Every structure is written in C-alpha cells, then in structure tokens.
Amino acid sequence: MNEQTKLNKNHYRIFGLSWAGWVFDFYDLVLFTFLISQLQASLHFSAEMLSLCLGLSLFATGLGGILFGALGDKYGRKRVLQWTIIVYSIGTLLCAFSWSFYSLLLFRFITGLGVGGEWATGQIYINETFPDNLRAKFGAFMQSGAPVGVILASIVGGTITPIIGWRLTFLLSIVPALMVIFIRRYLKESDVWIQNKDKYVNKNIFQEFKQLLSKEYRKIFLISLILCIFGMSAYWFTYSWLPTYLEQERGLALIGTTLGIVLIQCGDFAGYTTFGFVAEKLGRRPAFTIYSFIMALSISMITICWNQIVAIPNLILVFMFLTGFGTGFFGGFGALFSELFPTKIRNTGVGTVFNLARGVQFLTPVIITLVATYFDLSYGIAIAAIFALLVGIWIWTFPETKGTSINELN
C-alpha cells in the first residue's frame, strides 16, 4: 500500500480508525481529571489518593506501550490495535463499579495499559501503509486526535457528568470498543508487516527488547528515548498544573482559565495538522526545531514574563495559542521513529520509546510542587520551556529521515 501513488479507501479507513482510537485513548486518560470532585464527594477519597490514581495511570501507559509494542511486532498491527482499544475501554468501564480506593487504582492501571499501547500501534499502522511522501502529514494528522479527545472529555465531564453522575459516565466509555467491529471487518493488515513477519518476527517478545539494546540499534534507541523524554517533559510540565496556575496565581476567573485552555487546545490542533506539511517541505529536523522553539518562547511569556505582557491581554491569548501550536512537534514522533526502526522491531521500538518517556512523567507533578514551594508555580511550569529548547537542539543528533523508504529499512 505504501507504494501506491494515490490514496484509496483502505488508506482512509486505516487513518480514520487509528485517529478515532487516539481520540478516545486521550479521552479516557483525561476524563478522570474532570470526575475528581464527584469521586471525592461520593467515595470520600483524599486529593492525595486521586493524585496517586492519576500518576499510576500515567505510569501504566508507559508499561502498556512497551508491552503492546512488542505484541504488535509479533501478532500484527491490526490485531493489537483492537486489543488496545478493548483494554482501555474495559478499564474505564470497570471504573464505574469501583467500591474502594484500591479497586479504582487497579481499574485506572488497566485503562493506562490500553492507552499506552494504542498510540504506537496506530502510528505504525499509518506509517507502514501510507506513501513515503505522505507519511509525516498523516502521522501528524493522527496526533490531532489528542486535543479532540481533551475537548470531548471536558464536554462530557463538565456538562453531562453533573446530570448523570460519575458511574454512568464511566459506563459510557465502553462505546469506543465498538470500533473493534469496524477494524475487524474493514481494515487490512499492514502488508509491510505481512511480508516480513516470517523472516523477522521473533517468537519470544523479550528478544525484541534485547534487540533494541543490541549494538546495531542501541544508539538510535537511546537518542530517541532522550528526545521523547525532553518532549514529554515539555508537555506535562506545561499542562499538568496550568489551569491551577492561571486561576490561583494569575487571578483569572473560571471563564478566563477555560478560554485559555480552549485556546491552547485549538493551538494543539493547528500545530498537529500543520507539522506534517512543514516536515515534508523542510525536513524532520528543522520542523522539530521550529515548533519546539515556538513552544519554549510561548511558555516563557505566559509564566516568567507574565508581568511584562499582562498590560496587553491579547498578547496573553496569542501566546496561549502558540503554546499549544508549538506542541505540534509531537506529530512528528511517529513518522521519525518509524523511519529509524526496521519492521522486525518497529512497533517495539516506537512503543517503548514513546511510552517509557511518558511513564517517566509520573515524577512531573512532584517536581513542580517542590519548585512551587520555594518559588511559585510559574517557575515550575517554566521548566517546560527548557525541555522544549532541548527538543529543538537534540533533534540534530538524528540523521535526516525525510524521504526514507520504509521497505528499504528491512
């Protein structure tokens, strides 16, 4: 399919269902944050307990990405995409029946496993089946499902949950599992994987992890992991405490905070959908640098430079939007890593790199809290600007992969 000059219905089906899977993936991960107040009132959980649930979910995404990444190389992209959607849907569904803190902790862990596995599998599915000159564009388009998922979670959590309650809200999360029916019926397996499975796919998935650290792939695995850790840190240092920062330290009313978050999500969407065009035109490395530097500048302006721009409110809105726009470099991870790892360990490599970096963010809320204790939240969030700058610099340790033929990597 990746050698066809014109996209057909199979390409659009693969993209559409992979994108939808990522929408609900992020929806299920973020929805929990909108239900915290109801969970506290209903089950009498402390804020510390719920923070642990959030942190464990994030940690589980790392574990899920590694596990399902290896399974994707062994059993195929189509099959494992179905498994990840089923796992995160069931995990969120089970949350509806939570009766204690430990039951909720377990169910959020299950949800995180599925959430972590879906991204890499969907990205690999797209990157192996789309033509080389469209790979970066559609990989970035898939990433646009994240802000859509956040907006959907905010709508459901903010307007529907107060009416139907948190248990029924979790029950509704079984709906994404219906996508599995369409995946089984309408999607074709990646022909790149089919052509190479007998030759490359190991029977023992632990051998796939061993290959990542072999002399042949060790360097590319490690520099990819470092790049992803920088990127993930830039994202989570920005987003985990931003609403609290805007409301409590900058005195924005709820409507002002909401407007700021919506603007950032709009920026996210714009960044993801444009990154692929820039990456195909200028190359992967310049695109990463441009977007990450925009993010670094914008974060600095809405944190440590707030007092300098607050006199012009429109500037605050502009930099809110640009903060989200700069995160568009996340749209490049899938294509970049797919162009570095061969088919035999592609899903393992991409899933491990992306989600191990996401699992490390378990520490992010703690670090921000410690910094805020001695300074304030603006300095804690401003650390994200440093990581964003590091993304733009570190990307130049990579070879330029624009125009890489997936088939030739094998």
Side-chain angles (χ1 to χ4, degrees), residues 110-313:
I110 294 172
T111 303
L113 290 176
V115 165
E118 196 280 337
W119 179 86
T121 306
Q123 280 284 352
I124 298 303
Y125 213 160
I126 290 172
N127 292 323
E128 287 183 346
T129 54
F130 277 70
D132 297 336
N133 66 324
L134 295 177
R135 187 182 303 125
K137 293 177 183 178
F138 280 87
F141 288 163
M142 179 189 158
Q143 197 70 30
S144 70
V148 175
V150 172
I151 292 171
L152 182 61
S154 65
I155 293 173
V156 172
T159 61
I160 298 178
T161 300
I163 299 174
I164 65 176
W166 65 270
R167 291 189 185 274
L168 192 53
T169 300
F170 277 134
L171 279 173
L172 292 176
S173 295
I174 196 64
V175 172
L178 298 177
M179 287 189 293
V180 170
I181 298 173
F182 294 93
I183 293 173
R184 288 177 63 88
R185 183 171 182 177
Y186 294 111
L187 291 198
K188 294 176 63 177
E189 179 57 88
S190 162
D191 45 11
V192 171
W193 179 80
I194 291 174
Q195 289 171 2
N196 292 281
K197 65 175 183 177
D198 295 331
K199 183 178 179 182
Y200 289 128
V201 177
N202 300 296
K203 292 183 179 180
N204 186 343
I205 63 173
F206 293 104
Q207 293 177 4
E208 296 169 20
F209 296 122
K210 187 177 179 180
Q211 279 190 294
L212 284 180
L213 297 177
S214 67
K215 185 177 180 180
E216 187 176 5
Y217 303 112
R218 185 187 305 135
K219 178 182 176 181
I220 205 66
F221 169 70
L222 291 177
I223 65 172
S224 298
L225 179 59
I226 292 170
L227 180 71
C228 240
I229 289 175
F230 288 158
M232 287 289 181
S233 298
Y235 183 91
W236 289 105
F237 268 92
T238 301
Y239 287 80
S240 59
W241 284 94
L242 190 61
T244 303
Y245 161 72
L246 293 175
E247 186 173 352
Q248 294 184 3
E249 291 200 359
R250 297 310 180 190
L252 297 187
L254 180 60
I255 188 170
T257 300
T258 302
L259 175 60
I261 300 303
V262 170
L263 272 173
I264 288 178
Q265 293 305 315
C266 290
D268 280 358
F269 188 84
Y272 294 143
T273 53
T274 59
F275 181 89
F277 291 94
V278 178
E280 292 294 358
K281 182 71 174 178
L282 303 180
R284 300 350 182 195
R285 294 181 297 183
F288 265 90
T289 299
I290 291 169
Y291 279 75
S292 63
F293 279 16
I294 288 174
M295 184 181 186
L297 172 65
S298 302
I299 292 170
S300 300
M301 298 305 291
I302 63 173
T303 53
I304 57 179
C305 295
W306 179 279
N307 292 332
Q308 283 69 47
I309 66 171
V310 71
I312 309 175

